Amino acid sequence: MLSNIGIPGLVIVLVIALIIFGPSKLPEIGRAFGRTLSEFKGATKELVSDSDKEEEKESKSEVTAVKKEG
């Protein structure tokens, strides 16, 4: 969907946002959007690292179980 928006479409969206929110609110909205993206990115990295740790624990417990059986 967003791949179809070109430079002219982006300019139109920015002009509409400028008209709706005004020049004083746009920097605040941009900062809030940036913070939201960075928090989302951090949470995603945390989830990925947690799942990696769980996989390592599972593989270690399987290796331990195999050693005890063997």
Side-chain angles (χ1 to χ4, degrees), residues 2-70:
L2 291 177
S3 63
N4 295 335
I5 297 177
I7 298 296
L10 189 60
V11 170
I12 291 172
V13 169
L14 290 175
V15 168
I16 291 172
L18 184 63
I19 291 170
I20 292 174
F21 297 111
S24 61
K25 286 286 185 181
L26 281 181
E28 295 174 22
I29 293 170
R31 279 187 218 105
F33 186 70
R35 284 189 209 115
T36 302
L37 284 179
S38 65
E39 288 179 17
F40 179 76
K41 185 177 179 181
T44 304
K45 284 184 180 180
E46 186 177 309
L47 286 174
V48 170
S49 67
D50 286 347
S51 66
D52 289 344
K53 289 178 184 177
E54 288 178 9
E55 289 176 4
E56 288 177 11
K57 286 180 183 178
E58 289 175 2
S59 65
K60 286 181 182 178
S61 64
E62 289 174 2
V63 169
T64 306
V66 169
K67 286 182 180 178
K68 287 181 180 178
E69 290 176 6

